[in-house]
Amino acid sequence: MTEQSRSIDLAYAAGIIDGEGCIGTYFNSHQHTHQLRITVEMVDDSALQHLKKLFGGRFYYKAAKPPRKARHIWMVFNSRAETTLKELLPFLKVKTPQAL
């Protein structure tokens, strides 16, 4: 992958996270610790598959009762989330304060 291609992918990912994502620290009740987490939920999973390819992370499926639609969820945690945010920071517009 060329540097220009990577920059285009990062700009796209930043747009997805700016528009649909959540960045924050959350309490992990299983480990009784706080964790840095980036989360994006969408009905269509194609953009989320792209995020997983770029940054790794985990995928979840959340069923829903009509009239709501089922959602796909991509999450990345802790050090991987930190690395992801460092890469995305130059491209984020809306979520820059949360990323910092």
Side-chain angles (χ1 to χ4, degrees):
M1 177 181 292
T2 67
E3 187 175 329
Q4 182 180 9
S5 176
R6 180 71 177 177
S7 290
I8 291 168
D9 282 343
L10 292 173
Y12 175 78
I16 296 288
I17 291 169
D18 266 343
E20 301 293 329
C22 295
I23 301 169
T25 54
Y26 301 91
F27 183 71
N28 181 332
S29 59
H30 298 292
Q31 298 175 351
H32 301 286
T33 60
H34 284 83
Q35 61 183 195
L36 174 61
R37 185 170 72 203
I38 306 169
T39 306
V40 181
E41 290 189 30
M42 300 178 93
V43 172
D44 185 315
D45 74 337
S46 57
L48 302 179
Q49 293 289 352
H50 189 68
L51 293 175
K52 185 169 182 357
K53 180 181 166 190
L54 286 173
F55 307 114
R58 294 187 184 165
F59 238 95
Y60 301 94
Y61 178 79
K62 190 173 191 177
K65 294 180 182 178
R68 295 195 50 111
K69 293 184 179 182
R71 295 182 307 270
H72 301 274
I73 304 164
W74 169 80
M75 290 184 188
V76 66
F77 306 92
N78 298 323
S79 62
R80 189 175 295 248
E82 181 180 1
T83 301
T84 299
L85 290 174
K86 284 179 182 176
E87 251 192 307
L88 290 176
L89 197 55
F91 302 96
L92 291 170
K93 302 295 181 201
V94 176
K95 297 224 165 47
T96 300
Q98 292 92 330
L100 291 171

